[in-house]
Amino acid sequence: MLSEDDLVRYSRQIVYPHFGKKGQEKLKASHAVVVGVGGLGCAAALNLACAGIGRISLVDDDVIELSNLNRQILHWEQDVGERKTISAMKKLNTINSALEIDAVCEKITEDNVYDIIKGANVVINGLDDFETRFVVNSACVKRNVPFIHAGISGLLGQITTIVPGKTPCLSCMYPDIPPAEDTIPVFGVTPAFMASLQVAEAIKLLAGFGETLGGRMMYFDGETMETYYEDMIKDPNCIVCGSAGSRSQENR
């Protein structure tokens, strides 16, 4: 149930016609896992906390560097050298003390990913490498947890929502892991914008209204301020969500 403080804090959301008190109660009862607490993850976690997601788990094994501060908005100068999850947790607890914030200082692997997403209603991608994204994508499909993917480079961004059993997954679109870039250019505005869209998708999924980007990849070009969409085609032989994935799961 919503407290009196909740009714005041979220009053401007509650008046939204398709949301209301029931929508806010659903957010309060939800658990979001943010994997990666960098540019995308910081902005996503901040917006999740402001929206009133009841429990937020922050997952990252990295520490803060000075070069992170142009985009990772939950980390400040005095935090350089501290673990990203701890820094972010402290800020979120200050912003909204009523929430449950977990700091998971671990590198995501195939061995621990299922424990990390256990009990999650949605997983938000803030990772900067495709290899780990694929590990999380596979685990979310197998555990039937929606996975909201976003990626950025410079002023370019992409986002889609993966709903297991209903939409193509990340492996359908990328059968092979793309090669890693040595240094990804990034302006802070790009992850801030894409993360805001990720949280908008999460709110709709958790509260049960509106339409998501399921089955479509949205691309954003900050140089031209253009957006365009590409339909994602479900691969029947996908090793994660297709027949090949089903056979692999049966054999585990």
Side-chain angles (χ1 to χ4, degrees):
M1 297 294 293
L2 300 178
S3 67
E4 290 300 318
D5 284 349
D6 290 335
L7 293 172
V8 175
R9 181 187 288 264
Y10 307 116
S11 59
R12 299 294 287 270
Q13 296 175 185
I14 291 172
V15 296
Y16 188 74
H18 304 295
F19 185 70
K21 290 183 180 179
K22 289 185 177 179
Q24 194 64 53
E25 288 171 352
K26 289 178 180 178
L27 297 192
K28 186 174 183 178
S30 295
H31 176 200
V33 175
V34 179
V35 290
V37 192
L40 283 167
C42 280
L46 175 61
N47 280 290
L48 290 168
C50 289
I53 308 299
R55 180 183 175 190
I56 303 170
S57 295
L58 308 170
V59 188
D60 203 308
D61 71 330
D62 206 357
V63 297
I64 301 160
E65 300 177 1
L66 184 61
S67 61
N68 300 149
L69 302 188
N70 80 315
R71 62 197 182 279
Q72 301 181 14
I73 57 177
L74 290 179
H75 310 318
W76 304 341
E77 282 189 0
Q78 65 266 30
D79 303 317
V80 172
E82 186 169 38
R83 287 191 177 274
K84 291 183 178 182
T85 52
I86 302 301
S87 166
M89 180 178 67
K90 290 177 180 178
K91 310 305 191 314
L92 296 182
N93 280 330
T94 302
I95 291 167
N96 194 339
S97 61
L99 306 182
E100 181 180 353
I101 312 294
D102 307 320
V104 183
C105 303
E106 296 183 33
K107 179 177 177 59
I108 297 173
T109 67
E110 292 182 352
D111 294 327
N112 66 9
V113 65
Y114 294 102
D115 287 334
I116 285 172
I117 69 169
K118 185 177 181 180
N121 301 107
V122 67
V123 175
I124 307 288
N125 172 49
L127 299 163
D128 59 6
D129 71 286
F130 264 95
E131 186 172 354
T132 311
R133 289 177 193 169
F134 275 54
V135 171
V136 177
N137 170 73
S138 177
C140 286
V141 169
K142 290 178 172 61
R143 291 294 183 266
N144 198 32
V145 180
F147 178 46
I148 303 177
H149 160 77
I152 59 94
S153 179
L155 287 170
L156 303 175
Q158 62 173 231
I159 177 174
T160 189
T161 293
I162 297 162
V163 181
K166 295 183 179 179
T167 71
C169 77
L170 204 59
S171 291
C172 289
M173 190 158 190
Y174 298 100
D176 300 310
I177 297 176
E181 297 182 50
D182 291 334
T183 301
I184 301 173
V186 56
F187 294 91
V189 293
T190 314
F193 177 53
M194 302 311 295
S196 295
L197 296 180
Q198 286 180 289
V199 176
E201 292 284 276
I203 288 171
K204 290 182 290 182
L205 275 173
L206 297 172
F209 72 98
E211 297 182 9
T212 72
L213 286 167
R216 295 180 296 160
M217 184 77 79
M218 173 186 154
Y219 295 93
F220 168 70
D221 185 338
E223 282 205 16
T224 62
M225 299 306 289
E226 293 179 316
T227 58
Y228 58 98
Y229 300 84
E230 181 179 341
D231 289 336
M232 295 177 62
I233 307 301
K234 188 173 180 64
D235 180 359
N237 294 313
C238 175
I239 61 171
V240 173
C241 70
S243 57
S246 298
R247 290 195 299 270
S248 174
Q249 183 72 358
E250 290 171 1
N251 294 329
R252 289 187 61 173

